[in-house]
């Protein structure tokens, strides 16, 4: 409506009803170490944004959260469609976590978690849970579609277990292969296509 108006990066511009994003779509996969907060806010100490500062100039944000002391994979993007795909807990993309507990997980508790259980009015469900082969029974693999890891604390708190370590080892088909702790990589075309099809 104003002649000579210069569009800013955070302005929403639409053409034929579709949003135009001036930035190219960017997808960065980080293998997060301990001690970094999952936030884009300033003044929070060391954050995951510091770790990917050299990856892109695009305005990317992390999808989901990993606590400051949690480890593992975190995906960053400026692609709204991918963000929506992840944040829909019914059709979302599953994440696999390696969780270490303060004591062995009883088989009957594992079964209850697998079958789903209620906390108040909420039904808590997981995609899969199992002991990790060759490890003691306090090491479990758990797959969820929820984007936060607070759900993991809710699950194990309910059954009176403390979490010692959380490590996100896979997001859909994406793994930590060839990404050392604290490093990142851009998704390949093939990885991105597979992610869109999930």
């Amino acid at each position: 409506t104003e002649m000579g108006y210069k569009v800013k990066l955070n302005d929403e511009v639409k053409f034929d009803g579709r949003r135009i994003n001036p930035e190219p779509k960017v997808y960065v996969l980080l293998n997060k170490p301990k001690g970094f907060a999952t936030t884009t806010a300033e003044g929070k100490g060391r954050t995951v944004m510091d770790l990917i500062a050299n990856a892109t100039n695009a305005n990317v944000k992390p999808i989901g959260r990993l606590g400051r002391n949690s480890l593992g994979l975190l995906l960053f993007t400026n692609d709204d469609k991918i963000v929506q795909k992840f944040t829909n807990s019914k059709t979302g993309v599953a994440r696999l976590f390696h969780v270490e507990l303060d004591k062995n997980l009883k088989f009957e508790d594992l079964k209850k978690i697998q079958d789903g259980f209620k906390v108040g009015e909420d039904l808590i469900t997981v995609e899969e849970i199992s002991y990790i082969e060759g490890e003691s029974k306090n090491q479990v693999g758990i797959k969820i579609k929820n984007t936060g890891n607070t759900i993991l604390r809710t699950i194990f708190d309910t059954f009176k277990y403390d979490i010692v370590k959380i490590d996100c080892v896979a997001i859909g088909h994406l793994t930590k292969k060839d990404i050392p702790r604290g490093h990142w990589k851009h998704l390949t075309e093939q990885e991105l296509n597979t992610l869109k099809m999930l």
Side-chain angles (χ1 to χ4, degrees):
T1 57
E2 179 188 324
M3 289 296 286
Y5 178 80
K6 192 170 184 181
V7 175
K8 296 180 202 68
L9 265 181
N10 55 356
D11 286 341
E12 187 169 290
V13 180
K14 290 187 175 177
F15 178 72
D16 278 351
R18 290 178 60 193
R19 185 169 178 262
I20 297 170
N21 188 344
E23 293 182 323
K25 301 274 193 285
V26 177
Y27 312 87
V28 177
L29 189 63
L30 169 72
N31 186 354
K32 178 190 168 305
K34 263 187 179 183
F36 289 82
T38 304
T39 180
T40 54
E42 300 283 324
K44 296 283 186 184
R46 298 190 305 172
T47 75
V48 291
M49 301 312 289
D50 299 328
L51 294 169
I52 63 153
N54 298 329
T56 179
N57 291 325
N59 185 24
V60 295
K61 291 186 172 78
I63 301 177
R65 299 181 71 80
L66 282 175
R68 189 179 287 276
N69 291 320
S70 300
L71 314 161
L73 293 178
L74 200 54
L75 183 62
F76 298 75
T77 188
N78 56 353
D79 185 337
D80 294 340
K81 281 187 179 168
I82 290 288
V83 173
Q84 285 168 3
K85 190 180 191 67
F86 271 83
T87 50
N88 185 327
S89 61
K90 300 225 177 352
T91 60
V93 177
R95 297 192 301 161
L96 176 63
F97 292 89
H98 175 174
V99 178
E100 182 182 333
L101 302 171
D102 63 329
K103 55 183 180 266
N104 289 348
L105 178 64
K106 294 176 188 164
F107 181 73
E108 56 264 34
D109 291 340
L110 182 141
K111 193 83 179 74
K112 284 175 191 165
I113 295 168
Q114 180 65 71
D115 293 343
F117 60 96
K118 280 203 159 186
V119 174
E121 293 299 304
D122 298 328
L123 178 65
I124 308 288
T125 59
V126 302
E127 298 296 299
E128 290 174 40
I129 182 169
S130 65
Y131 296 115
I132 293 177
E133 201 174 321
E135 298 284 350
S136 60
K137 301 286 190 220
N138 70 330
Q139 311 273 335
V140 292
I142 185 166
K143 192 183 278 189
I144 57 170
K145 280 189 176 169
N146 191 295
T147 52
N149 67 351
T150 51
I151 190 73
L152 296 176
R153 302 217 178 263
T154 302
I155 289 168
F156 293 109
D157 281 354
T158 302
F159 293 95
K160 307 289 186 274
Y161 296 91
D162 288 331
I163 294 177
V164 176
K165 188 175 97 174
I166 294 176
D167 188 353
C168 181
V169 294
I171 299 174
H173 65 293
L174 304 171
T175 68
K176 296 190 289 187
K177 187 179 185 293
D178 302 329
I179 315 176
R181 189 84 68 204
H183 290 69
W184 54 265
K185 73 166 199 166
H186 289 281
L187 294 192
T188 65
E189 198 69 38
Q190 187 180 354
E191 287 171 331
L192 182 57
N193 289 339
T194 309
L195 196 61
K196 286 178 175 175
M197 288 189 297
L198 286 175

